[in-house]
Amino acid sequence: TISRETNHQWYAFETTLGEEMYYEEGKAYTATIGAADWTKAGIITEMKFTVKPTDDQSEFTLPFDNPDPAGAYNLTIDWGDNTSTSTYTGGNEIPNHTYTGQGPYQITITTPVPVSEAQMPMWSFDEKVSAPMLVSMDTPMLNTGSTGFYYSFYECINLTTIDQGLFANNTAVESFSDCFDGCSSLTAIPAGLFANNTAVESFSGCFVDCISLTDIPAGLFANNKAANNFESCIVGCSSL
């Protein structure tokens, strides 16, 4: 069995070598596998992001908001420090982990649930003490099934980089109001950040007080034809 990862989903190729297949020791052989021969290996989708403990905070709690009851999700969390993993199926007991080192640590969340369905709860750092620990969003997020990304990264003051396809799996979103409010260390916005979010109507307050931003990429909202509310979208972005 051979596996490969494409767009944060795992695929597998499996075959049985016939009894008449012999290889000579010390020589290298190349096998050619056609694109049609790969099958999805349980449709494992993953999401990665990086955290770093601060002087005041070493415990990170996933910023799940208003989750459905137990049984709604099927998530496995690798905390990135080679100590333990956690599972989460829903309910108010949100997974958390305390780090003993300085980091940074890349957290990986995986699920066998297809991306066409809700894979995890809504994501919001509003009033979450772990917010300053987040330093980068490294891959697209899992699908929350939510129509609103309100305050999703609120006061993530050490968040510096975000993946271009961050919201690609969340095509039902209608509002990014105050999504990056207070992300004072965010240095750049990927040009295709909202390319898949054609249903969005509001970007009000989306980048409030992102004081490290120096540019708004051309075409950032090109695919957001339904958007009609940009009130205070870049208020406080003093470096623009």
Side-chain angles (χ1 to χ4, degrees):
T1 300
I2 304 170
S3 63
R4 68 179 174 89
E5 183 266 338
T6 302
N7 293 328
H8 310 291
Q9 292 192 347
W10 286 95
Y11 293 75
F13 174 81
E14 184 172 348
T15 187
T16 301
L17 297 178
E19 294 182 359
E20 297 181 0
M21 187 75 69
Y22 297 96
Y23 294 100
E24 186 175 339
E25 183 178 357
K27 288 189 176 181
Y29 298 84
T30 301
T32 301
I33 303 172
D37 296 325
W38 291 96
T39 59
K40 283 189 177 181
I43 323 181
I44 301 298
T45 308
E46 66 180 15
M47 164 183 171
K48 295 177 181 287
F49 56 96
T50 301
V51 300
K52 190 177 189 305
T54 68
D55 290 340
D56 301 319
Q57 187 70 27
S58 60
E59 180 183 290
F60 185 83
T61 301
L62 292 175
F64 291 161
D65 194 51
N66 194 28
D68 288 337
Y73 314 105
N74 187 352
L75 300 173
T76 299
I77 302 98
D78 182 337
W79 298 103
D81 60 353
N82 298 316
T83 61
S84 64
T85 60
S86 300
T87 58
Y88 179 70
T89 64
N92 294 324
E93 295 296 322
I94 308 299
N96 63 79
H97 185 71
T98 299
Y99 292 98
T100 57
Q102 295 182 347
Y105 303 98
Q106 188 178 64
I107 297 174
T108 303
I109 305 178
T110 56
T111 180
V113 177
V115 74
S116 58
E117 302 177 17
Q119 298 170 307
M120 72 175 186
M122 290 190 296
W123 178 280
S124 175
F125 276 100
D126 189 17
E127 298 185 355
K128 304 292 197 307
V129 296
S130 299
M133 292 179 64
L134 183 69
V135 296
S136 67
M137 295 297 295
D138 307 322
T139 70
M141 299 176 66
L142 298 180
N143 185 9
T144 66
S146 174
T147 58
F149 269 60
Y150 310 103
Y151 296 98
S152 294
F153 298 96
Y154 183 67
E155 293 293 328
C156 289
I157 59 175
N158 292 311
L159 176 64
T160 59
T161 55
I162 53 179
D163 185 80
Q164 175 158 312
L166 185 63
F167 304 119
N169 295 328
N170 286 272
T171 56
V173 180
E174 298 176 359
S175 176
F176 283 106
S177 293
D178 296 287
C179 185
F180 295 100
D181 189 342
C183 292
S184 55
S185 296
L186 187 63
T187 57
I189 305 171
L193 183 61
F194 304 117
N196 282 29
N197 309 113
T198 57
V200 177
E201 298 177 357
S202 177
F203 287 99
S204 66
C206 188
F207 298 104
V208 167
D209 292 334
C210 290
I211 60 175
S212 296
L213 288 178
T214 59
D215 179 61
I216 300 295
L220 178 63
F221 305 112
N223 292 352
N224 311 119
K225 308 298 185 183
N228 54 34
N229 185 356
F230 290 88
E231 182 179 359
S232 303
C233 182
I234 55 174
V235 165
C237 296
S238 55
S239 296
L240 289 175

